Amino acid sequence: VSALAPLGQQMAPYACQRRTPLLHSNQPLTEALETLAEDAGFSGSEGRSLAFTRAASVLKALPGRLSALEELGPLPGIGEHSRRVIQDVLEDGVSVEVERVKLSERYRTMKLFTKIFGVGVRTASRWYQEGLRTLVDLQERNTKLTRQQQAGLRHYEDLNTPVERGEAESIGRMVQEAVQRFLPGASVTLAGGFRRGKPHGHDVDLLLTHPEAGREAGLLSRVVSWLDSQGLILYQHSQENSFALHEGPEPPGGRDVLDRFERCFSIFRLEAQGRLGAARGWKAVRVDLVVAPVGQFPFALLGWTGSRHFERELRRFAGHERKMVLNSHTLYDTRLNLFLPAASEEEIFQHLGLEYVPPTQRNA
Ligand code: DCP
Ligand code: MG
């Protein structure tokens, strides 16, 4: 039918088997599908949300712009509902269903509330049920907020202004400087969307490690205290490492936690850079600091680089196709009953029998 068809038919079923660049040619389609994915997530329909996310992810990996549904052929991972949405957008430029969602009171309110740092779908949903609709409502009705949510509300505007790469790099340097002070030789690595090549993000994800195992212990609290004493931290809450290798691997999907590293969820006070924020002098920026012992570092780096969907697919592939359990700490082979060590991300892909996908191609 078209030049896309033969390529589309060869598309591998798992996102971690494909290369997905940051920029692609089917933006209007993926945006529509991701809006539906988000909306399904807002109503707790995880399965439906995943189906839309999968379909969007497949389109992101297509080598060119889709102009007719038929060009897709029998592509894996695009269900009937998604096909209907794609067809509508291709034919009419918009999907009536998507437009209706975007205008709906529920979607708009859920979006407003979940954009508060510390507010997830469950909390936002409860507030919506209680009749709350605006940020002012939260204050006027004296809604009970955690310390994290209070900070999120206080800095709502800043935290919902994209973090520029330059800002992320300068926070990286601030942390690096603090780290050198207490543990020379330790490193700070920018992960998350920025490592995938995104020009901006919603936060700054930094991984700390030291080439000698064990030396990293105790580092984070010193770094955070020092940064705090310099007036650079507006909010922070730290969590201790709760990972123990002797416990063995956790069953996949068994717990709703990303990982058990020592970490700090924080809001930094970043001095204004150039024209941005110059009117006020500083800007609040969300920063996640994560400490990984060097032996787990490649797993942490892989797990923290994303995208979320790429990570989910890596774990699904490991489990279903290889009978292995992958998380941000280790890779465990359940057939051989052993942990597979790795000194680099490349080695993890090798263990999984996957072709290496560089960070900039993990935008699934
Ligand atoms: N991550 C994950 N599962 C989660 C949360 C995070 O796999 N539930 C991983 C993948 C993410 C990375 O951690 O890429 C960082 O999380 P972010 O929420 O910061 O996501 P990004 O950095 O990719 O996006 P953004 O640019 O919005 O910060
Ligand atoms: Mg991020």
Side-chain angles (χ1 to χ4, degrees):
V1 187
S2 85
L4 292 185
L7 286 158
Q9 276 156 22
Q10 285 166 27
M11 186 163 308
Y14 291 88
C16 56
Q17 296 171 302
R18 312 191 283 256
R19 296 171 81 90
T20 313
L22 186 61
L23 299 173
H24 60 86
S25 324
N26 292 292
Q27 202 76 36
L29 300 176
T30 56
E31 262 177 40
L33 292 167
E34 284 177 338
T35 301
L36 296 183
E38 191 180 25
D39 188 55
F42 285 162
S43 50
S45 312
E46 292 310 324
R48 239 161 40 82
S49 177
L50 190 54
F52 289 127
T53 299
R54 282 224 174 100
S57 178
V58 167
L59 296 185
K60 289 177 188 175
L62 282 179
R65 199 167 68 84
L66 193 70
S67 54
L69 194 58
E70 297 72 49
E71 293 172 341
L72 279 179
L75 265 188
I78 303 193
E80 213 174 297
H81 194 157
S82 294
R83 280 172 191 273
R84 217 156 55 228
V85 174
I86 292 168
Q87 181 149 34
D88 289 347
V89 176
L90 287 177
E91 285 175 2
D92 311 329
V94 289
S95 146
V96 173
E97 183 186 5
V98 173
E99 295 310 301
R100 206 175 48 228
V101 163
K102 284 200 281 194
L103 291 174
S104 75
E105 189 172 29
R106 186 183 158 83
Y107 176 81
R108 287 159 60 147
T109 310
M110 289 296 287
K111 192 117 178 124
L112 180 80
F113 288 160
T114 53
K115 274 161 54 178
I116 303 171
F117 173 45
V119 176
V121 166
R122 234 179 294 162
T123 303
S125 199
R126 195 179 68 238
W127 289 346
Y128 183 78
Q129 303 292 324
E130 290 168 7
L132 300 167
R133 293 293 180 271
T134 66
L135 301 183
V136 174
D137 287 349
L138 291 176
Q139 281 157 345
E140 285 182 350
R141 300 232 212 136
N142 279 322
T143 309
K144 200 164 151 22
L145 300 173
T146 63
R147 198 170 65 87
Q148 186 178 26
Q149 292 161 351
Q150 286 168 20
L153 210 49
R154 201 157 49 236
H155 303 293
Y156 190 85
E157 213 180 299
D158 276 4
L159 298 187
N160 286 293
T161 304
V163 183
E164 306 291 327
R165 174 172 291 277
E167 296 175 324
E169 283 166 354
S170 95
I171 285 174
R173 281 191 301 273
M174 279 158 62
V175 174
Q176 177 73 62
E177 203 184 303
V179 160
Q180 284 318 311
R181 196 167 262 275
F182 301 106
L183 185 61
S187 66
V188 177
T189 307
L190 183 57
F194 289 111
R195 186 160 181 259
R196 301 197 308 276
K198 280 177 67 175
H200 34 69
H202 97 282
D203 68 355
V204 182
D205 305 292
L206 295 171
L207 289 184
L208 279 54
T209 192
H210 186 279
E212 257 175 79
R215 296 287 301 278
E216 77 288 342
L219 175 63
L220 190 61
S221 60
R222 289 195 191 110
V223 165
V224 172
S225 299
W226 188 79
L227 290 167
D228 199 12
S229 73
Q230 301 300 298
L232 297 172
I233 293 196
L234 297 165
Y235 167 89
Q236 66 94 7
H237 94 259
S238 296
Q239 202 170 278
E240 282 179 26
N241 177 26
S242 62
F243 179 77
L245 207 56
H246 65 259
E247 285 177 15
E250 275 170 15
R255 289 173 59 126
D256 194 23
V257 291
L258 181 56
D259 59 55
R260 292 134 135 300
F261 289 117
E262 182 182 4
R263 63 182 282 186
C264 176
F265 306 86
S266 68
I267 300 175
F268 272 47
R269 183 184 194 277
L270 179 66
E271 291 305 316
Q273 308 191 322
R275 56 202 169 74
L276 284 164
R280 211 188 49 209
W282 60 274
K283 176 187 180 185
V285 177
R286 272 273 300 116
V287 180
D288 277 347
L289 302 173
V290 179
V291 184
V294 67
Q296 294 167 31
F297 183 76
F299 299 97
L301 184 61
L302 180 59
W304 275 83
T305 297
S307 66
R308 275 160 198 271
H309 188 58
F310 190 88
E311 300 298 332
R312 187 162 41 214
E313 290 281 279
L314 264 177
R315 288 167 203 192
R316 189 167 70 95
F317 178 88
H320 289 191
E321 305 297 326
R322 302 288 185 255
K323 307 285 176 242
M324 294 179 186
V325 183
L326 174 68
N327 58 33
S328 292
H329 298 275
T330 55
L331 177 63
Y332 186 82
D333 187 322
T334 65
R335 287 194 278 230
L336 302 174
N337 279 316
L338 50 82
F339 287 102
L340 302 171
S344 64
E345 284 183 319
E346 282 87 344
E347 284 185 29
I348 304 172
F349 282 87
Q350 272 170 26
H351 284 315
L352 291 167
L354 280 172
E355 207 173 297
Y356 179 66
V357 180
T360 55
Q361 300 294 324
R362 296 181 201 161
N363 290 289

